[in-house]
Amino acid sequence: MELTFITSNEGKFREAEQIAAKYGISLKWKKMSYLEPQGSSLEEIASLSAEMLSKELKETFFIEDSGLFIEALKGFPGPYSSYVFKTIGNEGILRLMDGVEDRRAYFLAVIAYFDGSEVQTFTGRVDGEISTEMRGSGGFGFDPIFLYNGRTFAEMGEEKNAVSHRRRALEGFFTCLSDR
Ligand code: ITT
Ligand code: NA
Protein backbone atom coordinates (compact mmCIF):
# COMPACT_ATOMS: atom_id res chain seq x y z
CA MET A 1 0.00 0.00 0.00
CA GLU A 2 1.19 3.50 -0.83
CA LEU A 3 0.14 6.70 0.95
CA THR A 4 0.96 10.35 0.22
CA PHE A 5 2.34 12.44 3.11
CA ILE A 6 2.24 16.20 2.55
CA THR A 7 4.86 18.04 4.59
CA SER A 8 7.60 20.61 4.11
CA ASN A 9 9.62 19.04 6.92
CA GLU A 10 12.11 16.39 5.79
CA GLY A 11 12.76 15.16 9.36
CA LYS A 12 9.08 14.35 9.81
CA PHE A 13 8.91 12.59 6.46
CA ARG A 14 12.01 10.41 7.04
CA GLU A 15 10.74 9.24 10.42
CA ALA A 16 7.25 8.50 9.12
CA GLU A 17 8.75 6.63 6.16
CA GLN A 18 10.73 4.37 8.48
CA ILE A 19 7.78 3.72 10.78
CA ALA A 20 5.44 3.02 7.84
CA ALA A 21 7.87 0.46 6.43
CA LYS A 22 7.37 -1.60 9.60
CA TYR A 23 3.68 -1.82 8.71
CA GLY A 24 4.41 -2.70 5.08
CA ILE A 25 3.28 0.72 3.89
CA SER A 26 5.35 2.86 1.54
CA LEU A 27 5.11 6.62 1.76
CA LYS A 28 5.28 9.09 -1.08
CA TRP A 29 6.61 12.52 -0.12
CA LYS A 30 4.69 15.49 -1.45
CA LYS A 31 7.04 18.24 -0.34
CA MET A 32 4.89 21.27 -0.02
CA SER A 33 3.93 23.84 2.55
CA TYR A 34 0.36 24.97 2.97
CA LEU A 35 -1.36 27.78 4.77
CA GLU A 36 -2.19 26.76 8.34
CA PRO A 37 -5.31 28.37 9.79
CA GLN A 38 -5.04 29.69 13.33
CA GLY A 39 -6.75 27.38 15.76
CA SER A 40 -6.87 26.65 19.42
CA SER A 41 -5.68 23.06 19.13
CA LEU A 42 -3.47 20.97 16.88
CA GLU A 43 -6.52 18.79 16.08
CA GLU A 44 -8.39 21.82 14.82
CA ILE A 45 -5.45 23.11 12.78
CA ALA A 46 -4.74 19.70 11.27
CA SER A 47 -8.32 18.96 10.27
CA LEU A 48 -8.98 22.44 8.85
CA SER A 49 -5.70 22.29 6.89
CA ALA A 50 -6.63 18.89 5.48
CA GLU A 51 -10.14 20.10 4.55
CA MET A 52 -8.60 23.03 2.65
CA LEU A 53 -6.02 20.86 0.89
CA SER A 54 -8.70 18.33 -0.08
CA LYS A 55 -10.45 21.04 -2.10
CA GLU A 56 -7.37 21.49 -4.33
CA LEU A 57 -6.04 17.96 -4.45
CA LYS A 58 -8.06 15.22 -5.97
CA GLU A 59 -6.10 12.42 -4.31
CA THR A 60 -6.01 10.84 -0.87
CA PHE A 61 -3.27 12.13 1.44
CA PHE A 62 -2.37 12.80 5.07
CA ILE A 63 -0.67 15.64 6.90
CA GLU A 64 0.69 15.86 10.43
CA ASP A 65 0.67 18.83 12.76
CA SER A 66 2.88 18.48 15.79
CA GLY A 67 4.15 20.51 18.69
CA LEU A 68 6.01 20.67 21.98
CA PHE A 69 3.96 21.49 25.09
CA ILE A 70 5.85 22.66 28.19
CA GLU A 71 3.89 22.39 31.46
CA ALA A 72 5.64 25.25 33.29
CA LEU A 73 4.92 27.53 30.30
CA LYS A 74 1.22 26.55 30.27
CA GLY A 75 1.60 24.50 27.10
CA PHE A 76 3.76 26.96 25.15
CA PRO A 77 4.90 26.71 22.35
CA GLY A 78 2.14 24.15 21.50
CA PRO A 79 0.42 25.21 18.26
CA TYR A 80 3.13 27.85 17.73
CA SER A 81 5.98 25.33 17.77
CA SER A 82 7.00 25.81 14.17
CA TYR A 83 7.26 29.61 14.51
CA VAL A 84 8.99 29.43 17.88
CA PHE A 85 11.52 26.92 16.60
CA LYS A 86 12.35 29.18 13.64
CA THR A 87 12.64 32.30 15.80
CA ILE A 88 14.03 31.69 19.32
CA GLY A 89 14.94 28.01 18.71
CA ASN A 90 16.25 25.57 21.28
CA GLU A 91 18.51 28.19 22.90
CA GLY A 92 15.49 30.42 23.42
CA ILE A 93 13.49 27.62 25.06
CA LEU A 94 16.40 26.76 27.36
CA ARG A 95 16.62 30.43 28.36
CA LEU A 96 12.88 30.57 29.14
CA MET A 97 13.34 27.46 31.28
CA ASP A 98 16.41 28.76 33.11
CA GLY A 99 15.97 28.06 36.83
CA VAL A 100 12.55 26.47 36.34
CA GLU A 101 12.20 23.33 38.43
CA ASP A 102 9.15 21.72 36.82
CA ARG A 103 10.60 20.59 33.46
CA ARG A 104 7.76 18.31 32.31
CA ALA A 105 6.85 18.52 28.65
CA TYR A 106 5.22 16.45 25.95
CA PHE A 107 5.12 16.19 22.19
CA LEU A 108 1.81 15.81 20.42
CA ALA A 109 1.31 14.74 16.81
CA VAL A 110 -2.02 14.94 15.04
CA ILE A 111 -2.42 13.20 11.71
CA ALA A 112 -5.27 14.29 9.46
CA TYR A 113 -6.10 11.78 6.72
CA PHE A 114 -8.27 12.58 3.71
CA ASP A 115 -9.60 9.30 2.32
CA GLY A 116 -11.18 10.84 -0.78
CA SER A 117 -14.42 11.78 0.92
CA GLU A 118 -13.74 12.84 4.50
CA VAL A 119 -11.03 13.79 6.99
CA GLN A 120 -10.15 11.66 10.03
CA THR A 121 -7.63 12.52 12.75
CA PHE A 122 -5.27 10.37 14.84
CA THR A 123 -3.29 11.62 17.84
CA GLY A 124 -0.08 10.48 19.51
CA ARG A 125 1.63 11.79 22.62
CA VAL A 126 4.94 11.18 24.37
CA ASP A 127 5.86 12.53 27.80
CA GLY A 128 9.31 13.70 28.81
CA GLU A 129 11.24 16.66 30.18
CA ILE A 130 13.12 19.68 28.94
CA SER A 131 16.87 19.19 29.44
CA THR A 132 19.14 21.90 30.82
CA GLU A 133 21.46 21.79 27.81
CA MET A 134 21.32 20.61 24.20
CA ARG A 135 22.53 17.05 23.68
CA GLY A 136 22.84 14.72 20.69
CA SER A 137 23.04 15.11 16.96
CA GLY A 138 20.18 12.95 15.64
CA GLY A 139 16.61 13.89 14.87
CA PHE A 140 15.45 17.42 14.19
CA GLY A 141 13.67 20.38 15.73
CA PHE A 142 13.40 20.24 19.52
CA ASP A 143 14.98 16.76 19.77
CA PRO A 144 18.25 17.99 21.39
CA ILE A 145 16.34 19.42 24.40
CA PHE A 146 13.64 16.74 24.86
CA LEU A 147 14.59 14.15 27.49
CA TYR A 148 13.02 10.71 27.42
CA ASN A 149 14.20 8.29 30.13
CA GLY A 150 17.48 10.14 30.64
CA ARG A 151 18.48 10.60 27.01
CA THR A 152 17.41 13.30 24.60
CA PHE A 153 15.53 12.29 21.46
CA ALA A 154 18.57 13.56 19.54
CA GLU A 155 20.73 11.01 21.42
CA MET A 156 18.34 8.12 20.77
CA GLY A 157 18.78 7.84 17.00
CA GLU A 158 16.29 5.42 15.48
CA GLU A 159 15.12 4.31 18.94
CA LYS A 160 13.09 7.52 19.00
CA ASN A 161 10.83 5.97 16.35
CA ALA A 162 9.72 3.22 18.72
CA VAL A 163 8.25 5.61 21.31
CA SER A 164 7.63 8.99 19.69
CA HIS A 165 4.38 10.93 19.37
CA ARG A 166 4.71 10.41 15.60
CA ARG A 167 4.98 6.65 16.05
CA ARG A 168 1.92 6.57 18.29
CA ALA A 169 -0.20 8.67 15.92
CA LEU A 170 0.88 6.62 12.90
CA GLU A 171 0.16 3.38 14.77
CA GLY A 172 -3.47 4.42 15.33
CA PHE A 173 -3.76 5.53 11.73
CA PHE A 174 -2.30 2.36 10.19
CA THR A 175 -4.28 0.10 12.52
CA CYS A 176 -7.47 1.83 11.46
CA LEU A 177 -6.55 1.43 7.77
CA SER A 178 -5.92 -2.29 8.17
CA ASP A 179 -9.28 -2.75 9.96
CA ARG A 180 -11.23 -1.32 7.03
P1 ITT B 1 4.78 20.85 7.97
O1 ITT B 1 5.08 21.29 6.58
O2 ITT B 1 4.53 19.37 8.06
O3 ITT B 1 3.69 21.64 8.63
P2 ITT B 1 6.47 22.00 10.07
O4 ITT B 1 7.90 21.83 10.40
O5 ITT B 1 5.96 23.38 9.85
O6 ITT B 1 6.16 21.07 8.80
P3 ITT B 1 4.60 21.74 12.30
O7 ITT B 1 3.80 22.89 11.86
O8 ITT B 1 3.89 20.52 12.71
O9 ITT B 1 5.64 21.26 11.18
O10 ITT B 1 5.56 22.27 13.44
C1 ITT B 1 6.06 21.45 14.37
C2 ITT B 1 7.29 22.06 15.00
O11 ITT B 1 7.63 21.20 16.07
C3 ITT B 1 8.47 22.09 14.02
O12 ITT B 1 9.24 23.24 14.23
C4 ITT B 1 9.28 20.86 14.38
O13 ITT B 1 10.66 21.13 14.29
C5 ITT B 1 8.88 20.56 15.82
N1 ITT B 1 8.72 19.11 15.94
C6 ITT B 1 7.70 18.34 15.47
N2 ITT B 1 7.94 17.04 15.68
C7 ITT B 1 9.14 16.98 16.28
C8 ITT B 1 9.95 15.92 16.73
O14 ITT B 1 9.62 14.66 16.54
N3 ITT B 1 11.11 16.23 17.31
C9 ITT B 1 11.49 17.50 17.48
N4 ITT B 1 10.80 18.55 17.07
C10 ITT B 1 9.63 18.30 16.47
NA1 NA C 1 3.56 23.57 9.57
Side-chain angles (χ1 to χ4, degrees):
M1 180 181 202
E2 194 185 69
L3 290 170
T4 300
F5 182 13
I6 302 178
T7 177
S8 63
N9 185 321
E10 174 159 20
K12 275 190 188 180
F13 179 77
R14 295 295 165 216
E15 287 183 6
E17 186 180 37
Q18 232 161 37
I19 295 163
K22 296 206 162 54
Y23 293 83
I25 292 170
S26 83
L27 294 191
K28 199 175 102 192
W29 186 12
K30 194 168 170 78
K31 187 177 182 187
M32 150 184 172
S33 43
Y34 47 87
L35 203 69
E36 281 178 19
Q38 291 292 316
S40 50
S41 68
L42 293 188
E43 281 87 351
E44 207 179 336
I45 297 169
S47 42
L48 287 172
S49 301
E51 297 282 358
M52 290 197 314
L53 280 166
S54 74
K55 306 258 180 316
E56 315 168 17
L57 303 166
K58 298 295 167 228
E59 52 174 340
T60 71
F61 65 85
F62 72 93
I63 57 174
E64 182 219 274
D65 208 38
S66 41
L68 175 68
F69 294 73
I70 302 175
E71 302 283 4
L73 305 180
K74 308 206 186 307
F76 180 85
Y80 311 106
S81 291
S82 182
Y83 180 74
V84 168
F85 183 71
K86 282 182 214 141
T87 53
I88 66 171
N90 286 326
E91 283 100 347
I93 297 284
L94 289 182
R95 232 173 288 129
L96 288 174
M97 291 296 286
D98 197 21
V100 176
E101 207 170 313
D102 177 6
R103 310 201 62 93
R104 289 171 303 149
Y106 59 91
F107 274 118
L108 217 55
V110 179
I111 287 170
Y113 172 55
F114 176 65
D115 66 3
S117 65
E118 58 180 21
V119 172
Q120 269 178 279
T121 60
F122 304 90
T123 300
R125 169 176 169 154
V126 61
D127 287 89
E129 281 172 25
I130 301 299
S131 59
T132 50
E133 57 184 8
M134 282 192 259
R135 277 192 347 229
S137 56
F140 67 96
F142 300 108
D143 284 344
I145 62 165
F146 187 81
L147 279 174
Y148 180 85
N149 282 343
R151 282 182 302 166
T152 67
F153 265 2
E155 291 176 311
M156 288 174 67
E158 278 186 30
E159 285 176 70
K160 172 190 171 188
N161 286 340
V163 298
S164 72
H165 50 313
R166 182 158 299 106
R167 167 59 176 265
R168 290 166 180 170
L170 286 168
E171 201 160 52
F173 174 30
F174 295 151
T175 304
C176 172
L177 284 180
S178 68
D179 286 348
R180 283 182 165 209

